[in-house]
Amino acid sequence: GAEQLDDQAWRGRVGQILGRIAHSHAYENALVFIYDPHQEALVLRAGRGEGSEHVGMAGSVQEGNGVVGHAYSSCRPVLVRDTRRRRASVSAPWPVRSEVAMPLVVGGRCVGVLDVESRKPDAFTRLDIRVLRPYASGLALLIDNQQKTRLLHAQAMRDPLTGFFNRRMMDQDVP
């Protein structure tokens, strides 16, 4: 019900942000990975361009595991001018020659990574990090808000002492 609408609205907002990134700055691919503590992995949740059809794909967050994993682990942007010259790059199922991975940080906590990619080597510079920083901040806040909303919804539906579903849940599910 309401949670599904929230997910649809969230996807719509993220899609708008990725659309602006792609259109305004002529970036080929823009992907949003969100950390999932249950899987202990970064999961592709939204995308524009190549890779967007792989939503749901998960990757390890171990230090040194690809550009996205490194950006998440270090909470710092990672710029790769040519993926063929970087050993730590993980090959994607689509062609990537250069990329910028921006950590999505809110309250000192990394919630995911914005990954912008190109088929061309040397497509990105340090200026791209500056351009992407406001987008990354906005996405981080959007993700954090969604996670907190889900947590509050789950807490409102269960008794805090027993963990059993409460009356609110009954009222919502039983006509």
Side-chain angles (χ1 to χ4, degrees):
E3 192 170 326
Q4 190 174 24
L5 288 174
D6 288 341
D7 282 345
Q8 289 174 350
W10 181 84
R11 282 191 192 98
R13 287 186 187 124
V14 171
Q16 288 175 339
I17 293 169
L18 294 179
R20 284 189 193 130
I21 290 170
H23 183 71
S24 302
H25 306 289
Y27 295 138
E28 295 172 46
N29 305 327
L31 308 168
V32 175
F33 292 85
I34 299 176
Y35 179 70
D36 182 341
H38 300 295
Q39 296 183 49
E40 294 184 5
L42 286 164
V43 180
L44 178 60
R45 291 290 182 210
R48 186 142 184 128
E50 286 186 273
S52 60
E53 67 276 4
H54 294 280
V55 168
M57 176 181 76
S60 172
V61 293
Q62 293 176 350
E63 182 69 42
N65 189 11
V67 176
V68 171
H70 183 71
Y72 178 82
S73 298
S74 68
C75 282
R76 298 186 62 147
V78 177
L79 170 65
V80 178
R81 296 179 195 276
D82 191 343
T83 57
R84 291 184 183 170
R85 289 184 274 167
R86 182 182 169 107
R87 279 183 279 173
S89 292
V90 173
S91 58
W94 54 92
V96 176
R97 284 295 304 275
S98 58
E99 68 183 298
V100 176
M102 299 291 296
L104 304 177
V105 180
V106 63
R109 180 177 63 96
C110 191
V111 295
V113 176
L114 168 63
D115 189 41
V116 179
E117 305 170 335
S118 176
R119 290 174 171 247
K120 300 176 213 141
D122 300 313
F124 304 111
T125 66
R126 294 228 174 265
L127 178 62
D128 292 289
I129 291 174
R130 289 179 47 202
V131 166
L132 291 169
R133 197 171 306 261
Y135 292 110
S137 294
L139 284 166
L141 289 171
L142 193 61
I143 292 165
D144 185 57
N145 186 34
Q146 183 203 32
Q147 290 173 343
K148 286 178 179 172
T149 300
R150 282 185 174 180
L151 178 63
L152 286 172
H153 183 267
Q155 288 174 342
M157 296 299 154
R158 293 189 177 269
D159 178 76
L161 181 61
T162 64
F164 294 135
F165 290 118
N166 62 21
R167 173 140 182 154
R168 282 186 204 97
M169 184 68 161
M170 264 312 230
D171 290 343
Q172 182 177 325
D173 287 351
V174 177

